[in-house]
Amino acid sequence: DGGITQSPKYLFRKEGQNVTLSCEQNLNHDAMYWYRQDPGQGLRLIYYSQIVNDFQKGDIAEGYSVSREKKESFPLTVTSAQKNPTAFYLCATKHRGVQETQYFGPGTRLLVL
Amino acid sequence: EDKVVQSPLSLVVHEGDTVTLNCSYEVTNFRSLLWYKQEKKAPTFLFMLTSSGIEKKSGRLSSILDKKELFSILNITATQTGDSAVYLCAVEDTGSARQLTFGSGTQLTVLP
């Protein structure tokens, strides 16, 4: 079964904790992206990676960290420095090519207790 | 800074109605405009538009881009309750990462 998987589906975090959201893909796509979506708002880019062992900050990278050790995996860590982490987090991937678009995983909903 | 504005923010119609969703943008280096449908979870891709005046069509959905006036519309004819969703518009830049900038979406509710 091909596609993009994100886990967990729901995640609860206590204040001061770091948590890591998983994103795995078996589409052999080169680029991977992390977005945050708040109620009534569009998606905002947190980090992206175009190649293994390389990644760049997006528009709202503060309080987040990522790694890209394997092509298939792009985990996102929400650190305690992120003061308002409650949101819906979406991972996306894209194959290299002019006409290719980004495809999204099912998302992880993070709630801070 | 790239900017995408969608209108209306929300829309309630009855089955069978036709709706038009709007998307205007300001992008320094435009490559394409994309429409996505989001039903509670992951956005699903609808259309990618790169050229002005060429309508893209898929069933009851169609979309067109005006690069001179910097806007796009998404039309849905003969709406069904299954069309209820948030419709997101995004613009893609020409950078190597081809980043997307999203609008805040239009919440469409189709009543039976």
Side-chain angles (χ1 to χ4, degrees), chain A residues 33 37 42 48 50 97-98 102 105, chain B residues 36 38 42 96-99 103:
Chain A
Y33 306 79
Q37 187 176 31
Y48 64 96
Q50 295 178 269
V98 175
Q102 291 186 25
Chain B
Y36 288 87
Q38 186 176 25
S96 60
R98 293 174 59 192
Q99 291 188 43

Side-chain angles (χ1 to χ4, degrees), chain A residues 3-39:
Chain A
I4 306 166
T5 57
Q6 290 187 243
S7 62
K9 190 174 180 179
Y10 297 95
L11 185 58
F12 300 93
R13 190 194 94 165
K14 292 181 181 178
E15 286 195 18
Q17 274 186 336
N18 292 356
V19 291
T20 297
L21 282 59
S22 168
C23 178
E24 303 280 333
Q25 55 109 350
N26 61 4
L27 303 170
N28 199 33
H29 284 179
D30 303 293
M32 297 185 75
Y33 306 79
W34 274 106
Y35 292 91
R36 169 184 172 137
Q37 187 176 31
D38 294 282

Side-chain angles (χ1 to χ4, degrees), chain B residues 14-76:
Chain B
H14 288 92
E15 274 192 318
D17 289 348
T18 293
V19 297
T20 298
L21 310 183
N22 304 292
C23 176
S24 62
Y25 62 91
E26 296 173 21
V27 178
T28 303
N29 299 298
F30 177 87
R31 179 191 290 272
S32 64
L33 184 144
L34 298 94
W35 284 97
Y36 288 87
K37 177 182 181 182
Q38 186 176 25
E39 297 172 271
K40 302 292 184 188
K41 322 192 264 193
T44 54
F45 171 75
L46 294 174
F47 298 112
M48 173 189 268
L49 303 156
T50 55
S51 301
S52 273
I54 300 175
E55 184 182 54
K56 291 226 171 171
K57 201 169 170 64
S58 176
R60 296 177 293 104
L61 278 67
S62 63
S63 183
I64 197 161
L65 175 67
D66 186 327
K67 289 169 75 173
K68 183 179 176 184
E69 300 297 329
L70 306 183
F71 78 90
S72 174
I73 60 172
L74 175 69
N75 278 321
I76 309 175

